[in-house]
Amino acid sequence: MGKKNNEVEDISDRESISSDDEDKPYYGEPLTYDPSFKGPIKNRSCTDVICCLIFVAFCVGLGFIAYYAYTSGDLEKFVYKADSLGQICHVDVENKRYLFYFDYRTCSSNDSLTGFEVTCNTPQVCVEQCPTENFNGNDQQSMYLTNPTNVRWDLFICKYNVNPETSGKEPKELFEDEDCASYYVESSKYNGRCVPDFILQGSSVPADIVNTTLPNNQTLTEEDLDALDSLIAVGNQIASDLQDSWWIILIGLGIAAIVAFVIIILMRWLAKLMIWIIIFGVLILLALTTSYCFVNYFNLLEAEENGQITDYETYDTMLGVWLGFGITLGVLFLIFFLLIIFLRKRIQLAIELIAEASRAIGYMLYTLFWPLIPFVLQLAVLGFWASMTLFLATISVPIYYVEDAEPNLGVNNGSECIPEDFYALYGNTSNAVCVWGGSYYWEWTIWTYQFYNLFALFWFLNLVIAFGEMSLAGAFAGYYWAFTKPDDIPSIPLIRSVWRSLRYHLGSLAFGSFLIAVLQFVRSILEGLEKKFKGAENPISKFFFKCLKCCFWCLEKFLRWLNRNAYIEIAVYGKNFCSSAKTVFFLLMRNIVRAAVLDGVTSFLLFLAKMTVVLIVIIPAFYFLSGQVTVTDNVVVMPDLNYAWVPLLLIIIGSYVIASAFFGVYDMAVDTLFICFLEDCERHDGSPEKPYYMSKNLMNICGKNNKEMEKAIKQAEKEAKKKEKEQKKKNKNK
């Protein structure tokens, strides 16, 4: 009797999981049976043609802007540095390639160092060659006072319009007026600049310069250049470490790819075990932490009753902390426990779909390497956008401002000026100067082109993502809708899906990616405005910006989810974007609990899988790079690194990216199989005319079966037993 009751309870539970929509809001009519449907539609037509034409027109416009940027821009303006007047060395100042700083000490002051950016508040000029010897202006001043003809005027490095020998000034005056550099040391070119050799080589300041008196009664000490020295030295050491350890980084990334590949294969058999271990592990952890908090809470109460408390302020604080944490963790434990009890069947369904995704990938292992193609396409998009941005940025004019103007000059300090016109009017009659403000001016057309290029970046990147998702969806849908696996799985399903996506659905891909691009573009503008008005906005405007950014972020996440599922529907049925999005949205809303459970379980499992890959790679890499592994000393020579964390950090980032690419395929497989499973449940009933396409394990969990197939199996078993008995009788008679 008890066994019968259990069976009835189990049957009712199975029926409840297979009819998620009975007690939920009405979201469209359930899908109906289509006798002609045998998997992804082969005979299909182009979808969202208007969107495709708009995308092509957009690309033509981008091509025009690219032609203008590449023909009018000059990338050398970024290769070479700008002097104090905003002129680009070797571009605006011909035959002078390198930037020279009059006083390097200004580069090492605390207010000049912001992260890895160095700004120097000193005159800067372009020179043909960097200094090849040391120069102390005080020595030249002494020579001038003794015998002016002994002064080495050829060693002076001065501003462009200053000839030190014919200026009529003493060397000291030239240094005080900052017309010429008061000192310099032997230097070499480094990133377009003249940088002292002792900094590049990590040696000490030259003896004929350090601690000697410079013009204006100043001295140059090693401390003056410590900050700049360490900054450049760290950069050189990091570059050296990368050069010496590149092979270790490649090996680490290769191991990460192998580990991710193996884990995906093993998840075909271990997914169920892994998920249940994780679920019960979280339950046990919550129970233990809750108990620990309440034990500490009651211990404090007991200590207070026994008069052992002296600091009651700390006692009250800790009492509230332990009680608050205990209640919070206890509530989480109760919620988690109840969810497991009431959603156990749906959790089983999610686990089985994850295992089914592993089987699908097992039949199509080449899909694991598909992310390489979208990755290369995204790199191409980023490279094109970056080059366009740089070329457009060079189509600009430096902005100059007036400084040191006297009140009676008739011009205000801080007003804009043009150097040629300014010095023609005031250069010989005042101390006023027209200096570069460090910025450039763009015409409104350049701003328009830059915004156009930015939107193109968002659109193209999302288009590549959409193309990758739709291609995988078509391949995995072909696996699900194969009635007899693997015999009925289409040949080269991924290539077929790629062809269908490009041939028929480029317009749908452009439409879906356009929606995401608009939201990202608006979000980027909001972030730019927020940074521009930072410090000047009031609390109301700050709150307004935060709310807008949050709303657009949430809307983007929702659209990404909807687009991803719409691409699955398009890959299977070949309908337009809006129709597919509507159909799949209603389908998911009719099965919202299943969808939520599957998404949560899958996301958590894949996150743990990614972290597993990173840990498996990074732990041995850490011991190897830190020199704690000596087994390989006779096989490979370990490089002597300045910073072992540099290759280690790159291995961590690279391993996570590789794991994300592999498990991204897995995630797409789960989502595609889930959508197909839901449609299978609605379209079919297990009868001979409408058999289910799902696996036997999925049918068992949902309480479904293919009736005719079950009868055939039972009949075959009976016949096999009958033949076996007859054979035994014949053997006895013999």
Side-chain angles (χ1 to χ4, degrees), residues 32 35 284 486 498 528 583 645:
T32 57
I284 294 171
V498 169
T583 300
W645 58 265

Side-chain angles (χ1 to χ4, degrees), residues 156-347:
F156 282 60
I157 298 180
C158 305
K159 294 179 178 178
Y160 305 126
N161 59 347
V162 175
N163 186 328
E165 190 172 4
T166 61
S167 64
K169 295 182 180 181
E170 297 182 9
K172 182 179 180 180
E173 294 175 325
L174 291 171
F175 304 143
E176 290 176 347
D177 295 341
E178 291 189 332
D179 289 333
C180 300
S182 61
Y183 77 95
Y184 55 78
V185 297
E186 185 178 355
S187 305
S188 298
K189 57 185 179 181
Y190 179 84
N191 193 25
R193 300 178 174 89
C194 292
V195 178
D197 286 344
F198 74 88
I199 293 178
L200 296 176
Q201 298 169 2
S203 56
S204 58
V205 183
D208 55 344
I209 293 293
V210 66
N211 296 326
T212 59
T213 303
L214 298 174
N216 302 329
N217 295 320
Q218 296 177 331
T219 58
L220 179 67
T221 64
E222 295 215 24
E223 288 77 13
D224 289 326
L225 292 162
D226 274 347
L228 184 63
D229 187 1
S230 63
L231 185 65
I232 295 179
V234 168
N236 288 337
Q237 290 170 351
I238 291 176
S240 176
D241 288 345
L242 292 176
Q243 186 176 1
D244 294 338
S245 62
W246 64 269
W247 59 275
I248 300 177
I249 297 172
L250 289 181
I251 291 175
L253 298 182
I255 294 174
I258 295 172
V259 170
F261 183 82
V262 171
I263 288 178
I264 286 181
I265 300 301
L266 291 178
M267 285 179 70
R268 180 173 181 176
W269 298 278
L270 301 180
K272 299 178 184 179
L273 179 63
M274 290 171 60
I275 294 175
W276 285 118
I277 289 175
I278 292 169
I279 289 173
F280 286 111
V282 172
L283 268 179
I284 294 171
L285 182 63
L286 285 173
L288 291 176
T289 51
T290 302
S291 302
Y292 179 77
C293 291
F294 280 111
V295 166
N296 282 280
Y297 172 75
F298 287 115
N299 285 341
L300 283 176
L301 289 178
E302 185 179 352
E304 196 275 336
E305 291 177 358
N306 297 333
Q308 299 173 353
I309 302 298
T310 56
D311 186 355
Y312 276 91
E313 184 176 351
T314 305
Y315 165 77
D316 291 335
T317 302
M318 294 306 299
L319 197 67
V321 168
W322 289 121
L323 180 61
F325 275 114
I327 293 174
T328 303
L329 293 172
V331 171
L332 289 176
F333 171 81
L334 182 61
I335 293 174
F336 196 59
F337 179 77
L338 293 175
L339 285 175
I340 293 173
I341 295 298
F342 290 105
L343 299 178
R344 64 190 184 279
K345 290 295 181 181
R346 291 175 177 84
I347 293 174

Side-chain angles (χ1 to χ4, degrees), residues 56-121:
V56 171
F58 181 86
C59 291
V60 171
L62 187 65
F64 167 77
I65 296 174
Y67 175 79
Y68 173 74
Y70 293 141
T71 55
S72 303
D74 187 356
L75 206 57
E76 287 188 337
K77 290 185 178 181
F78 281 98
V79 176
Y80 298 99
K81 309 304 174 185
D83 62 13
S84 298
L85 299 176
Q87 301 175 119
I88 309 298
C89 297
H90 188 61
V91 178
D92 301 321
V93 185
E94 295 183 1
N95 300 323
K96 295 184 177 182
R97 295 173 176 268
Y98 311 112
L99 187 65
F100 173 80
Y101 297 92
F102 276 23
D103 188 1
Y104 279 97
R105 292 175 303 168
T106 62
C107 303
S108 61
S109 61
N110 291 331
D111 56 352
S112 297
L113 296 173
T114 56
F116 281 95
E117 182 181 359
V118 181
T119 57
C120 306
N121 188 22

